[in-house]
Amino acid sequence: MSSENINQKNPLAVEKTGRLIARFAIPAIISMLVSSLYNIVDQIFIGQGVGMLGNAATNIAFPISIICTATALFLGIGSASNYNLESGAGRPEKAVQIAGTGLFMLAVCGILIGVVVLAFLDPLLHVFGVTPEILPFARDYTGITAFGIPFLILTTGGNHIIRADRSPSYSMVCMLTGAIINTILDPLFIFTFHWGIKGAAAATIIGQIISGILVIYYFAKKCNMALEVSMLRPKAEHVKVIAGLGMASCINQIAMAAVQITMNNTLRYYGAQSMYGADIPLACVGVISKVNMVFMAICIGISQGCQPIWGFNYGAENYGRVRETYRKAFSICMTVGITFFLCFQIFPRQIVSIFGSGSEEYFHFAERYFNIFMFATFLNGIQPMSSGFFTSIGKAKLGIVVSLTRQIIFLLPLILIFPVFMGIDGVMYAGPIADAAAALVAVGFAVRQMKEMRKKECI
């Protein structure tokens, strides 16, 4: 059967784009929200059961979570994007071989990162900006959650391949099951067993292990692709193409980790010189970054849900469907962004209060951070969505450039320069400037890409 006939039978090529976005993006959004829920639920129960220092400890540990996500997206999105492009081009066997290589690399990298974190735990925490008061809490939390890293990476990365295999609902179930278990065990371990922050960490890794087992079961028993054990053996040529299309998402996460580490150290230094002290800014930013994860999870979920549609149709040269899907994804991200912008501006104290109590200085800093740093939230979904778009259509270098704009090119220099002249307020004003600049760059590149696709249609 020709690739054209295969494509005509594939729903990615013929079903209405709005319906496809809903079918793939809703499970992807739920999966991303569930992934964020691990951190948010921990933050809420730790804030209520341990206090401000517990919240600060999870903020210190957050770069490790970002690094794990970066690895998972590097291999998961790289594998899924290539799988869809090869499938759309009528090369299903090569597509499955790439997916097998990606799964093997996810397992190996998860184990390696877990070992490194356990071996260098204290030095890493000091690099991440820990203070003497926060160190015992951060050590307990990170030392336990490190054992769940292999399952976290396998689940996060494997779910991208599951969605590419046309099973978005199962992908959602994998993430949702682990999150529900974590939510049930958190209050039991923290309040009933009185394990404190160790209980939150234990609940997290149990949920991650269950999710990881479900991913393994899918590829062993339920997958649509013709995956064989021999295909799990990695091939250099497949690793190369996975890296090419996974690099943008990975770099975006690594950039987030670099910014988080720099920000923690900046907040610690300039916070100590302010009325807030060193610990309050670390605790507040830890809470707010988790809240912002909900918004980003939705936008990234939209991008991930659209990835099979973009990739398959670009590979099949159905450029009109690619453009139509991007326009709809853009509109959805803007609508979500405006909604969260209003919540962040109107209800900052109420949002922070969910994560526990604190002094008046604590709430004052949190409110100002929401109002200033998060002022351009309504634009924040454009950059990650566009980066995912370029990666999905095989434009790896452009995806990398777009993924670097907000975190590395704009935000990182600003949070180093502004506080020199403005103190800790400089960190806050760096946020909206970086957000607006990154959105403009992403839109500019997207418009250019749309014009290029129209030219190809005319040839």
Side-chain angles (χ1 to χ4, degrees):
M1 184 179 290
S2 69
S3 62
E4 183 177 353
N5 289 334
I6 293 172
N7 290 345
Q8 287 175 350
K9 292 186 176 182
N10 194 308
L12 292 172
V14 296
E15 194 171 322
K16 290 183 178 180
T17 56
R19 187 176 300 170
L20 282 172
I21 291 173
R23 176 184 167 191
F24 282 88
I26 290 174
I29 290 169
I30 293 174
S31 295
M32 288 299 300
L33 287 173
V34 168
S35 180
S36 302
L37 192 62
Y38 277 113
N39 292 297
I40 292 171
V41 168
D42 280 351
Q43 198 84 54
I44 291 173
F45 286 119
I46 288 170
Q48 299 289 345
V50 180
M52 184 186 75
L53 293 179
N55 278 334
T58 62
N59 185 36
I60 295 298
F62 195 47
I64 294 175
S65 178
I66 296 175
I67 291 168
C68 292
T69 302
T71 305
L73 297 184
F74 175 62
L75 297 169
I77 289 182
S79 300
S81 298
N82 279 286
Y83 179 86
N84 287 123
L85 286 169
E86 295 295 340
S87 297
R91 295 185 288 268
E93 184 175 348
K94 183 178 180 181
V96 178
Q97 290 174 345
I98 291 172
T101 294
L103 288 169
F104 177 85
M105 296 301 295
L106 283 167
V108 171
C109 290
I111 294 170
L112 289 175
I113 293 175
V115 170
V116 169
V117 170
L118 288 170
F120 301 99
L121 181 57
D122 273 22
L124 286 171
L125 294 177
H126 282 94
V127 170
F128 297 160
V130 74
T131 66
E133 291 78 13
I134 298 170
L135 179 59
F137 298 94
R139 185 187 288 135
D140 286 342
Y141 185 79
T142 311
I144 295 173
T145 54
F147 288 97
I149 286 175
F151 297 95
L152 170 62
I153 290 177
L154 178 62
T155 300
T156 305
N159 272 308
H160 289 281
I161 304 175
I162 292 173
R163 279 192 294 272
D165 194 40
R166 306 190 312 278
S167 297
S169 297
Y170 189 93
S171 170
M172 177 184 68
V173 169
C174 291
M175 299 298 295
L176 191 59
T177 302
I180 291 172
I181 292 171
N182 180 44
T183 304
I184 293 171
L185 293 181
D186 253 331
L188 179 66
F189 289 172
I190 294 174
F191 300 110
T192 303
F193 293 172
H194 304 290
W195 290 353
I197 202 166
K198 292 181 180 179
T204 295
I205 66 168
I206 291 172
Q208 290 169 347
I209 290 170
I210 298 299
S211 292
I213 291 172
L214 289 174
V215 170
I216 294 170
Y217 176 76
Y218 177 84
F219 288 106
K221 299 291 185 180
K222 293 180 66 67
C223 61
N224 297 311
M225 65 178 72
L227 182 66
E228 300 175 1
V229 175
S230 61
M231 294 177 176
L232 296 175
R233 189 180 304 116
K235 293 183 179 181
E237 60 184 285
H238 296 158
V239 173
K240 183 178 179 180
V241 297
I242 288 171
L245 294 187
M247 187 62 70
S249 298
C250 174
I251 288 178
N252 189 45
Q253 292 292 318
I254 293 296
M256 287 176 61
V259 169
Q260 186 74 35
I261 293 168
T262 303
M263 183 172 289
N264 284 348
N265 284 283
T266 302
L267 291 170
R268 180 180 63 178
Y269 178 79
Y270 289 100
Q273 301 176 16
S274 72
M275 60 180 285
Y276 305 108
D279 294 327
I280 285 178
L282 285 171
C284 288
V285 173
V287 168
I288 295 169
S289 65
K290 302 302 189 304
V291 173
N292 190 51
M293 282 176 63
V294 177
F295 166 60
M296 296 307 296
I298 295 174
C299 294
I300 294 172
I302 292 167
S303 176
Q304 291 175 358
C306 293
Q307 180 265 325
I309 310 169
W310 286 326
F312 186 93
N313 285 286
Y314 193 86
E317 300 183 357
N318 296 329
Y319 300 124
R321 289 175 65 81
V322 176
R323 292 197 305 273
E324 181 182 357
T325 303
Y326 180 86
R327 288 194 297 268
K328 289 180 178 178
F330 183 95
S331 298
I332 296 169
C333 285
M334 283 297 296
T335 301
V336 174
I338 292 170
T339 302
F340 274 83
F341 165 78
L342 293 174
C343 291
F344 291 168
Q345 295 300 310
I346 299 172
F347 307 111
R349 180 176 284 252
Q350 291 86 340
I351 294 172
V352 175
S353 298
I354 297 172
F355 297 85
S357 60
S359 64
E360 185 58 34
E361 289 80 9
Y362 171 83
F363 284 107
H364 182 261
F365 182 87
E367 288 173 348
R368 296 194 70 234
Y369 196 87
F370 261 124
N371 291 333
I372 300 173
F373 189 88
M374 309 298 289
F375 185 77
T377 297
F378 58 94
L379 297 173
N380 275 357
I382 299 173
Q383 180 252 351
M385 186 273 293
S386 298
S387 177
F389 164 69
F390 293 124
T391 299
S392 299
I393 64 173
K395 305 288 184 179
K397 292 181 179 178
L398 192 52
I400 291 171
V401 170
V402 174
S403 70
L404 286 174
T405 51
R406 180 183 184 270
Q407 303 290 340
I408 297 298
I409 297 176
F410 298 124
L411 185 57
L412 188 59
L414 292 177
I415 62 176
L416 290 172
I417 295 170
F418 279 15
V420 174
F421 304 99
M422 304 170 66
I424 200 166
D425 285 356
V427 175
M428 303 185 197
Y429 287 102
I433 296 174
D435 294 338
L440 288 173
V441 171
V443 169
F445 282 129
V447 169
R448 189 184 70 174
Q449 185 61 46
M450 299 302 154
K451 291 179 180 178
E452 288 181 5
M453 285 189 284
R454 288 194 183 93
K455 289 180 182 178
K456 289 181 179 180
E457 287 177 327
C458 296
I459 296 175

